Amino acid sequence: GAGVSQSPSNKVTEKGKDVELRCDPISGHTALYWYRQSLGQGLEFLIYFQGNSAPDKSGLPSDRFSAERTGGSVSTLTIQRTQQEDSAVYLCASSTPDRGNTEAFFGQGTRLTVV
Amino acid sequence: DAKTTQPNSMESNEEEPVHLPCNHSTISGTDYIHWYRQLPSQGPEYVIHGLTSNVNNRMASLAIAEDRKSSTLILHRATLRDAAVYYCILRGHRGSTLGRLYFGRGTQLTVWP
């Protein structure tokens, strides 16, 4: 596709269940980011993948959160044993080989509601 | 980790210029200054970026202070569609900060008709 695609667009889950959020970056983009945005708040950095380098996981809030990127393309963010405070919009972004002067493209996000 | 400071909110009238300030006093020599904006219910979108020199594109202009410790995003003629949260971000060029994109709270711009 032309842009970053995220699925599902909306997800409602029960507390304690596991969820998987998917991100399809723009083809050829080696850098991929995950953020979350709680209602009325700014973007909170979660994790960053750059090519074959070890991912920067410094933003993951707890060990219930994990992410992987298969084949340098699609990424999946997994939240285990979801809690109500995990409710937020989860945003994915990608960019071309990263030298600090490249533009990041964002998807429309996945709105996660934990009930 | 945002490393930038912006006013929480600003207002403008339609058709008037808007100057959105950002302070980044701890900027390193290899950090690029990026601006993104987020329209309601959408993901952020890129606006402009620069390193040392002022930059212009079809969306906006970026004025960078000589010491690089501050910058200003300039919207030459605000429209109602420009109402959004504007984020000023420092993006690392190499080493431990390579590629990191840390968003602060941004500036909520309100445009009045």
Side-chain angles (χ1 to χ4, degrees):
Chain A
V4 177
S5 178
Q6 292 188 244
S7 59
S9 55
N10 282 283
K11 175 73 176 178
V12 179
T13 189
E14 293 181 352
K15 178 181 174 181
K17 300 282 190 182
D18 297 352
V19 295
E20 286 190 352
L21 311 179
R22 178 186 169 104
C23 174
D24 282 275
I26 294 172
S27 178
H29 282 192
T30 59
L32 187 146
Y33 305 79
W34 282 99
Y35 294 85
R36 73 175 175 181
Q37 188 170 32
S38 301
L39 188 63
Q41 303 296 311
L43 277 74
E44 176 187 3
F45 168 77
L46 296 177
I47 188 168
Y48 164 53
F49 296 90
Q50 168 64 314
N52 296 321
S53 302
D56 176 355
K57 303 180 181 181
S58 61
L60 294 177
S62 77
D63 58 8
R64 296 187 296 104
F65 288 73
S66 63
E68 62 179 24
R69 189 176 184 191
T70 53
S73 180
V74 172
S75 177
T76 301
L77 177 69
T78 301
I79 308 173
Q80 296 179 312
R81 305 180 302 281
T82 52
Q83 304 294 314
Q84 287 186 329
E85 60 262 29
D86 298 334
S87 296
V89 175
Y90 289 80
L91 290 157
C92 174
S94 71
S95 72
T96 53
D98 208 329
R99 289 296 178 263
N101 60 347
T102 53
E103 170 185 352
F105 294 82
F106 282 80
Q108 292 300 302
T110 294
R111 182 176 298 279
L112 175 66
T113 304
V114 181
V115 298
Chain B
D1 280 291
K3 300 191 293 184
T4 63
T5 304
Q6 299 176 253
N8 291 332
S9 63
M10 292 187 66
E11 298 182 357
S12 174
N13 294 318
E14 206 174 5
E15 303 291 313
E16 291 184 353
V18 181
H19 290 232
L20 298 166
C22 180
N23 288 318
H24 28 78
S25 59
T26 60
I27 190 171
S28 77
T30 57
D31 284 341
Y32 282 82
I33 302 160
H34 284 245
W35 283 81
Y36 284 74
R37 72 179 186 181
Q38 188 173 24
L39 302 172
S41 301
Q42 294 190 26
E45 64 175 353
Y46 167 83
V47 177
I48 200 167
H49 78 271
L51 184 62
T52 56
S53 302
N54 295 344
V55 184
N56 299 295
N57 66 21
R58 63 176 181 82
M59 289 182 70
S61 296
L62 176 60
I64 301 174
E66 197 169 331
D67 63 5
R68 301 210 325 127
K69 294 186 177 182
S70 65
S71 62
T72 303
L73 178 71
I74 303 166
L75 307 179
H76 294 287
R77 293 180 63 190
T79 70
L80 297 178
R81 291 187 66 253
D82 291 322
V85 179
Y86 286 79
Y87 296 97
C88 168
I89 301 157
L90 302 184
R91 195 165 189 202
H93 179 59
R94 61 172 63 93
S96 64
T97 62
L98 175 65
R100 288 182 182 179
L101 268 174
Y102 283 104
F103 287 74
R105 296 293 298 272
T107 297
Q108 173 69 62
L109 175 65
T110 300
V111 180
W112 300 102

